[in-house]
Amino acid sequence: MSGFGTPAHLRRDRLSDKIAKDIQDRVLSGELTVGDRLPSERDLMAHYGVGRPAVREALLWLNKTGMLSVSNGDRTRVTEPDPRDMLQLLSGAAKMLVARAEGIRQFQKTRIFVEVALAREAARLATDDDIADLEAVLLRNESCADDIPAFSATDDAFHHRIALIAEDPLLDALYHVVLELLEEQRRTSLSHPESLGKAQAAHRRIFEAIRDHDADRAEAAMRDHLETVIHTYWGIREQASSSP
């Protein structure tokens, strides 16, 4: 095949892994670039001297990593990896971690690191449009004082709008993955009768610090907010475990 040189020797075991690595190496070396089409499955089978299952398994794995786009009716293409797809590959192991108390604590700490950094960046970088959008989301959140599902949705929107100000796709993806893993923590914390009021007051302090471009104050407000959520969660867990 033109432009697709002879492959290195492939052992008969784990052929799909070898094929995936060969294609990956071609992408990383620049031989294949974003938008390039790969040969058809039939041509790849002939090229590597393997059956269809090995080729399909290799392509599907590279599709899962975000390196390739595999679709019915069109040739496989090299794509620009999405940071969210890359982090989702870790979600299986991460879910095992959050099944244990220590794993939850680790991800709570990670969330603080990520969101504190995002709050600082937001205070530094926020434009007038960013501030107007963030205030609009905050006002929607403040209008949900007695509606936990609506509060949860607007809470997500508030934190996500802060994340968007940094314009960092990897941080944004990490924020979403960690938030998803801590969903049970968030639901539990919101069940406390004082949680919504405390969270709304914290959101207001975070917003005002970002509006005033005060990075130190934004960092402190976000840290205090998340530490309060964590404290509430473990307090509820401890109370539940000690109840008869």
Side-chain angles (χ1 to χ4, degrees):
M1 291 177 291
S2 176
F4 212 77
T6 303
H9 175 66
L10 300 178
R11 293 188 305 172
R12 299 308 299 176
D13 58 323
R14 302 180 66 84
L15 284 174
S16 63
D17 290 350
K18 297 293 183 179
I19 295 167
K21 185 178 186 308
D22 184 64
I23 295 172
Q24 175 182 275
D25 288 346
R26 295 173 189 271
V27 173
L28 297 178
S29 71
E31 180 181 342
L32 294 170
T33 60
V34 172
D36 284 351
R37 292 182 177 184
L38 266 66
S40 67
E41 282 189 4
R42 187 180 299 276
D43 287 342
L44 289 171
M45 289 161 56
H47 178 67
Y48 290 110
V50 299
R52 191 180 300 274
V55 168
R56 284 192 171 175
E57 188 175 343
L59 295 181
L60 288 174
W61 169 250
L62 291 170
N63 177 75
K64 189 176 182 181
T65 66
M67 185 169 285
L68 299 181
S69 174
V70 178
S71 59
N72 293 327
D74 194 11
R75 293 253 292 278
T76 299
R77 295 175 179 270
V78 179
T79 59
E80 190 74 44
D82 185 326
R84 205 159 174 179
D85 292 336
M86 293 186 289
L87 290 172
Q88 284 294 343
L89 287 174
L90 304 175
S91 64
K95 286 174 182 176
M96 289 181 66
L97 278 175
V98 296
R100 304 192 304 270
E102 184 54 36
I104 295 173
R105 293 186 190 278
Q106 289 174 4
F107 277 99
Q108 287 172 332
K109 187 180 294 185
T110 299
R111 185 187 180 193
I112 289 177
F113 287 156
V114 173
E115 292 217 54
V116 162
L118 288 170
R120 284 197 69 89
E121 283 296 276
R124 190 174 68 86
L125 299 173
T127 65
D128 290 345
D129 287 343
D130 290 326
I131 292 168
D133 286 349
L134 187 60
E135 184 173 26
V137 176
L138 173 67
L139 292 173
R140 289 199 297 272
N141 181 247
E142 290 177 339
S143 71
C144 300
D146 301 314
D147 187 339
I148 291 179
F151 176 88
S152 182
T154 54
D155 178 39
D156 282 350
F158 178 77
H159 285 269
H160 184 220
R161 188 62 185 85
I162 292 172
L164 289 177
I165 295 173
E167 296 185 346
D168 187 319
L170 188 55
L171 271 179
D172 185 53
L174 182 58
Y175 159 76
H176 276 94
V177 170
V178 172
L179 203 63
E180 180 181 325
L181 291 166
L182 292 176
E183 180 61 27
E184 187 269 337
Q185 173 219 264
R186 297 175 66 245
R187 288 198 307 269
T188 300
S189 298
L190 287 176
S191 70
H192 191 282
E194 297 179 0
S195 286
L196 269 63
K198 287 183 177 180
Q200 287 172 334
H203 291 166
R204 172 59 63 176
R205 289 192 294 272
I206 293 165
F207 164 73
E208 290 175 352
I210 292 172
R211 179 199 61 196
D212 297 342
H213 299 288
D214 189 329
D216 289 342
R217 205 165 96 233
E219 174 182 338
M222 181 64 80
R223 186 181 298 277
D224 180 66
H225 172 41
L226 297 180
E227 287 178 347
T228 298
V229 171
I230 292 168
H231 178 76
T232 300
Y233 171 76
W234 290 112
I236 293 172
R237 283 275 299 259
E238 183 178 349
Q239 185 176 17
S241 64
S242 62
S243 298

